[in-house]
Amino acid sequence: MTTYHHTPRRPRRLRLAGAAVTALVLAATGTATQAMAAQDTARKPQLAKTPPPPMPTLTWSDCQDGFECANADVPLDYREPQGRTITLAVVRKKAADPAKRKGTLFMQPGGPGNSGVDFVRNNYEDLPAALRDSFDVFGYDVRGVGRSAALTCFDDARYTKAVTDAKGVPGPDAFGAAVREAAEFNQACLDNSGQLLPYVGTEYVARDIDLLRQALGEQQLTYYGRSFGSYIGTVYAAMFPKRVRALSLDGAYDPYKYANRPYDYDRAQYLALDGTMSRFLDWCAADQVTCGFGDGDPQGAFEKLKSDLDANPVPTANGGQANGYTLVYRLMFNINEGKVIWPSLGAALKKAELRDNTSFLLRPPSPASYDFLGPNVVVECVDKDYPKSLRKLQRNVTANAKDAPLLGPAMAYGPPTYDHQHATACVQWPAEKVSRYDGSFRARGSAPILVIGTTGDPDTPYQDAVALSRQLDNASLLTFQAEGHTAFGRSACATDAVVGYLVDLKVPASGTTCADETQPPSTTPKTAPPGTTLGELRNGVNERVERIGDVS
């Protein structure tokens, strides 16, 4: 197991509950944000004056199926480049055709919280041959994730209690309970990973990538990043624009809003997710035969199902319980697959309505989920600059729950898990943020960067890709007209464009549109269509695994 090396020191305890939370947070309104801005301003010149960190040495060993694995020691804190280190797990598979080799392709999954090692291993065979021939395909677990000194906050038992107690239709006292639980989550982060928390932000991740680039002997970076991986790539380009060969940023973030206006960023996500759910239910109403859920009123049936499951949870095979929150949680991830999965979602909703616990929408989050969710919260709390005001938090949470009524309330008032549920924790975040990057995001002087947005993306709204393409100094925007999250592997048109760009630096004209989305099948598929993880979803084992699919 990889570790980070430090002298143990027990982190301070943070006790926040009830009125104490309100008093402390309201007292910090304004001053905390100003202090953080001053800290960041002071930090960057200090980093510029530090000596360069030592380049890690990669000692490769066989790790099955033609992959090679290694460990890379990088600074824990780049303000002290010769000081403590953290060990990153890395993996590669060498170019299939050495005669065509152009270098190393970094592949970065979404998250934060997904394993880059697993991303490469799980997806390598489905990559287009041109990528496998042209590049050593490389991935790594970013600091605090997977095999790279994984963060721990709530333990499995405490996380299980949190998601079991959560509701699909929260009650009138939900805000106070959510704030208290988020404070407990933060305390668990301090207790279990306090020495690592300040150093997992995306600025330090980008610095790690630059050291790994050097260790691999690459003069410039060739990179494919999806979802949160697009934000990592954006920060890298902003910090090291001259070191960019080709960056493909799929399911792109609006980086300025993500880092500096997080309530605006969150709201767009709430509306995008609920918009996708609404369009799915509209399809159900229009095609009841294929959907099979709702008896002519799918939206009404869905609202009733959430309440019924909250009132009478369904026992699961492993002795747990599935309620309305479980349903919303699974829909949040699985609806990412696009229209091709809509018949399967209809069938799973019907099973849930019949209290059939074989429905993959009635699988509660598991320890495999928690390994992803904990780092997901922590990294975003380090990266984002939320105002330190519980009153502002309550106004935003209330508005999001009201304006995204299908899935929003469960997300807004649920425990700290995925993106939509971070604000309650991040407003109260107790640790330093020395590794946070706040801009600029222009990447002036970089090579052309390919930004990809999907018009019906429920996770990274299309307008984020538009915004990123405008913030970058030299970017081309490729649009995929479709439902679902990201485009590469789901669209032959987009996949071909990405391959041509990464291999031969052929940049699609900005404004290029792909419109080859797979439409809903007429019956529930028994096997996974190309580009989806449907087979996993039907068996209820999808724990936010990042897969690309094969459209080659």
Side-chain angles (χ1 to χ4, degrees):
M1 177 178 291
T2 53
T3 59
Y4 64 98
H5 311 295
H6 67 284
T7 302
R9 182 178 65 189
R10 182 167 178 78
R12 64 184 179 88
R13 288 189 65 82
L14 181 77
R15 298 187 181 277
L16 300 177
V21 174
T22 304
L24 180 59
V25 177
L26 292 179
T29 301
T31 58
T33 300
Q34 294 167 8
M36 183 175 292
Q39 179 190 52
D40 286 344
T41 301
R43 171 171 55 88
K44 290 178 180 178
Q46 179 183 352
L47 276 170
K49 295 176 183 178
T50 58
M55 185 177 69
T57 299
L58 301 178
T59 302
W60 297 100
S61 62
D62 177 78
C63 53
Q64 298 182 331
D65 301 322
F67 291 97
E68 296 177 319
C69 293
N71 289 326
D73 290 335
V74 298
L76 176 65
D77 184 354
Y78 277 92
R79 298 172 303 177
E80 300 176 1
Q82 309 295 326
R84 295 176 293 172
T85 62
I86 184 169
T87 301
L88 308 178
V90 306
V91 68
R92 74 176 178 187
K93 196 165 190 176
K94 288 186 175 179
D97 188 343
K100 295 181 180 178
R101 184 184 182 277
K102 293 180 180 289
T104 300
L105 171 62
F106 280 62
M107 294 193 66
Q108 195 71 49
N114 277 313
S115 164
V117 171
D118 292 344
F119 185 54
V120 166
R121 296 191 73 116
N122 291 341
N123 289 292
Y124 180 83
E125 293 301 325
D126 287 331
L127 290 176
L131 294 183
R132 289 182 277 122
D133 287 345
S134 301
F135 298 104
D136 299 345
V137 180
F138 175 88
Y140 82 106
D141 288 357
V142 303
R143 50 179 58 214
V145 170
R147 302 163 185 83
S148 298
L151 291 157
T152 300
C153 293
F154 277 166
D155 61 24
D156 292 348
R158 182 64 183 86
Y159 237 146
T160 296
K161 181 182 186 305
V163 298
T164 301
D165 290 347
K167 301 296 183 184
V169 185
D173 60 345
F175 177 73
V179 169
R180 289 190 293 272
E181 186 156 60
E184 291 182 26
F185 178 88
N186 289 353
Q187 181 62 58
C189 295
L190 278 179
D191 289 344
N192 294 318
S193 297
Q195 295 295 310
L196 184 54
L197 299 182
Y199 310 115
V200 297
T202 300
E203 178 174 320
Y204 278 19
V205 171
R207 293 185 183 278
D208 292 343
I209 288 176
D210 203 54
L211 283 183
L212 292 170
R213 174 193 61 78
Q214 296 172 55
L216 291 164
E218 300 295 337
Q219 294 299 307
Q220 292 182 302
L221 181 71
T222 302
Y223 178 99
Y224 169 80
R226 58 185 274 138
S227 197
F228 186 75
S230 75
Y231 180 69
I232 294 174
T234 298
V235 173
Y236 181 90
M239 294 177 63
F240 307 107
K242 299 293 187 181
R243 299 174 196 171
V244 171
R245 175 185 173 271
L247 262 65
S248 179
L249 309 178
D250 188 4
Y253 278 38
D254 178 335
Y256 179 78
K257 283 186 177 179
Y258 168 80
N260 301 312
R261 299 183 64 89
Y263 282 131
D264 290 347
Y265 184 85
D266 291 351
R267 182 165 178 78
Q269 266 195 308
Y270 273 94
L271 297 178
L273 178 63
D274 238 52
T276 297
M277 187 66 192
S278 181
R279 291 190 295 275
F280 160 69
L281 291 173
D282 287 346
W283 169 81
C284 274
D287 190 352
Q288 281 280 277
V289 173
T290 304
C291 175
F293 170 74
D295 294 328
D297 181 16
Q299 184 163 327
F302 179 67
E303 294 293 352
K304 183 176 185 299
L305 178 58
K306 286 188 297 181
S307 296
D308 288 349
L309 289 172
D310 281 344
N312 296 289
V314 174
T316 61
N318 64 357
Q321 289 188 328
N323 63 6
Y325 178 83
T326 310
L327 185 77
V328 170
Y329 175 89
R330 285 297 172 200
L331 281 165
M332 175 176 62
F333 289 132
N334 294 337
I335 207 165
N336 278 349
E337 299 293 333
K339 287 183 179 179
V340 71
I341 198 178
W342 284 4
S344 295
L345 291 180
L349 284 168
K350 185 63 178 179
K351 278 188 174 183
E353 195 174 46
L354 297 173
R355 303 181 60 80
D356 181 345
N357 67 9
T358 64
S359 169
F360 63 76
L361 297 178
L362 295 183
R363 182 184 173 97
S366 72
S369 300
Y370 308 148
D371 291 343
F372 162 75
L373 296 172
N376 186 270
V377 179
V378 172
V379 171
E380 293 208 354
C381 285
V382 174
D383 275 349
K384 293 179 172 182
D385 184 21
Y386 281 91
K388 303 297 181 181
S389 164
L390 284 186
R391 290 195 183 102
K392 181 169 283 191
L393 171 68
Q394 186 168 18
R395 285 197 303 271
N396 280 274
V397 164
T398 301
N400 291 335
K402 175 179 179 291
D403 295 336
L406 295 171
L407 305 181
M411 300 293 100
Y413 300 114
T417 55
Y418 191 54
D419 296 10
H420 310 74
Q421 296 161 298
H422 291 172
T424 51
C426 295
V427 164
Q428 305 177 77
W429 191 245
E432 291 184 287
K433 300 185 178 187
V434 298
S435 54
R436 168 179 134 78
Y437 186 80
D438 60 0
S440 115
F441 298 98
R442 185 174 178 183
R444 184 174 183 179
S446 77
I449 294 171
L450 178 59
V451 176
I452 307 170
T454 301
T455 54
D457 196 317
D459 207 349
T460 52
Y462 174 70
Q463 61 263 33
D464 281 19
V466 175
L468 175 59
S469 71
R470 292 172 177 169
Q471 289 175 51
L472 290 169
D473 189 57
N474 188 4
S476 179
L477 175 64
L478 174 68
T479 297
F480 180 35
Q481 290 183 339
E483 300 289 342
H485 184 42
T486 70
F488 184 75
R490 297 182 55 235
S491 159
C493 168
T495 299
D496 289 346
V498 170
V499 171
Y501 168 68
L502 293 175
V503 175
D504 297 318
L505 302 180
K506 296 178 180 177
V507 184
S510 194
T512 297
T513 297
C514 295
D516 56 343
E517 179 182 19
T518 302
Q519 296 302 305
S522 58
T523 59
T524 302
K526 297 185 182 302
T527 59
T532 75
T533 55
L534 182 58
E536 292 185 353
L537 299 177
R538 287 170 57 80
N539 292 317
V541 298
N542 181 29
E543 303 293 358
R544 194 60 164 97
V545 173
E546 291 278 291
R547 288 193 182 274
I548 287 175
D550 179 16
V551 296
S552 59

